[in-house]
Amino acid sequence: MKDIVNNFCVKTFGSSNLVTEIGKVTKVASRTIHVDWGMKTWVYQNKDFKWIPLTKEEVEKKYPKSKFTEDSLKRALAFGLEIKGTERLT
């Protein structure tokens, strides 16, 4: 489990998978996982941790700019993620 430190967790909304929050795993202990969500660091028991931590490259590949809310995009950019937009067909 220690290999997930510094990986990202993404909270999404609805079937469109709109990214509402992005956090970073800061610490893994024997029974808990600590995730920094920006305003607060949450401590989850291992059984209550429901995210699949993603590397920087996986987040950049999986979520285009159009999938982020304004606040979550600012947070992603603060983490140094390079979120690219996708061109839409009209």
Side-chain angles (χ1 to χ4, degrees):
M1 284 294 277
K2 297 227 183 255
D3 58 330
I4 67 170
V5 173
N6 292 323
N7 282 2
F8 297 95
C9 298
V10 177
K11 289 185 182 179
T12 59
F13 177 78
S15 62
S16 65
N17 284 332
L18 181 67
V19 176
T20 58
E21 292 183 54
I22 186 166
K24 191 171 192 179
V25 178
T26 57
K27 179 180 175 185
V28 176
S30 62
R31 295 184 183 182
T32 59
I33 298 172
H34 301 239
V35 180
D36 175 12
W37 291 107
M39 295 294 211
K40 192 171 188 178
T41 297
W42 287 84
V43 180
Y44 299 94
Q45 289 186 349
N46 288 351
K47 64 183 177 110
D48 297 330
F49 187 75
K50 60 183 178 182
W51 293 272
I52 299 172
L54 303 170
T55 64
K56 178 182 177 186
E57 294 79 19
E58 290 171 329
V59 173
E60 292 171 346
K61 184 177 179 182
K62 185 173 183 176
Y63 298 103
K65 188 174 184 177
S66 61
K67 294 283 186 180
F68 282 82
T69 63
E70 186 176 327
D71 291 336
S72 65
L73 182 59
K74 287 178 187 175
R75 179 108 167 113
L77 295 175
F79 279 134
L81 297 171
E82 295 180 25
I83 307 299
K84 298 190 183 341
T86 58
E87 296 183 34
R88 295 184 180 181
L89 300 173
T90 54

